Amino acid sequence: DVEWVVNHAPSGGNDIKGEMLAALLGNDAMAIATMRGNLDAALTALANRLGEVRIYLANIYDSSDGQGNFGLHCEFARRLGAIAVPSDPIFERWNAAHATVAAEQAQTLVEMHGAFYGHGFNSGDPWFAPDCTSRPRGPTALAPISSAACFGAC
């Protein structure tokens, strides 16, 4: 029998948030390696516990749509004194770890980053509120992406 586990929420968002200054400064290699190890351990533990399992691992989306101006919008970033730098390279680094773990574990990567892009707090169609909290539309808009990933492969 095959057990199905779907991860509807991105994994690693709190990791990158906790390492915001290091990420903005490009000094986040150790934090990425830690997150990657945690993801690998979590997927391994699920497979060991459930047997044959299919996992849909969602990557991290960028609420700034690449602008990196979190300090202007997000209280946690303001408290850190976060500077605005283009964030596409940051999310490329962090999401590469997601892609690697999914591939190594023969699981499915769900591209939340790309689906969310263009709907950050800077956009005309935000899925995030200006203070970086989720708007009701955000989770609702992202849910079909996870479902499509599963049902397209199931």
Side-chain angles (χ1 to χ4, degrees):
D1 291 332
V2 176
E3 295 281 344
W4 299 94
V5 176
V6 179
N7 177 4
H8 288 281
S11 299
N14 287 331
D15 296 297
I16 196 171
K17 184 177 173 182
E19 296 291 337
M20 179 63 69
L21 286 181
L24 291 170
L25 296 172
N27 298 326
D28 52 359
M30 286 182 57
I32 292 168
T34 298
M35 180 201 64
R36 181 176 178 223
N38 291 340
L39 288 172
D40 187 61
L43 270 60
T44 299
L46 280 170
N48 288 341
R49 181 170 173 92
L50 299 174
E52 190 175 347
V53 62
R54 181 160 305 168
I55 299 169
Y56 297 88
L57 180 63
N59 62 10
I60 309 169
Y61 48 84
D62 177 0
S63 58
S64 79
D65 290 333
Q67 294 183 35
N69 55 347
F70 302 102
L72 295 176
H73 297 276
C74 309
E75 180 58 33
F76 77 90
R78 248 190 312 280
R79 284 193 310 265
L80 292 172
I83 55 174
V85 299
S87 53
D88 286 337
I90 296 167
F91 285 87
E92 287 170 9
R93 291 191 305 268
W94 286 74
N95 285 330
H98 284 77
T100 299
V101 170
E104 288 175 354
Q105 295 262 356
Q107 302 298 347
T108 302
L109 180 70
V110 178
E111 182 51 55
M112 289 290 194
H113 181 267
F116 190 98
Y117 210 87
H119 299 286
F121 49 68
N122 294 304
S123 79
D125 183 24
W127 292 352
F128 254 68
D131 65 354
C132 297
T133 58
S134 181
R135 289 180 184 256
R137 184 163 177 228
T140 303
L142 292 172
I145 298 159
S146 287
S147 296
C150 173
F151 295 115
C154 298

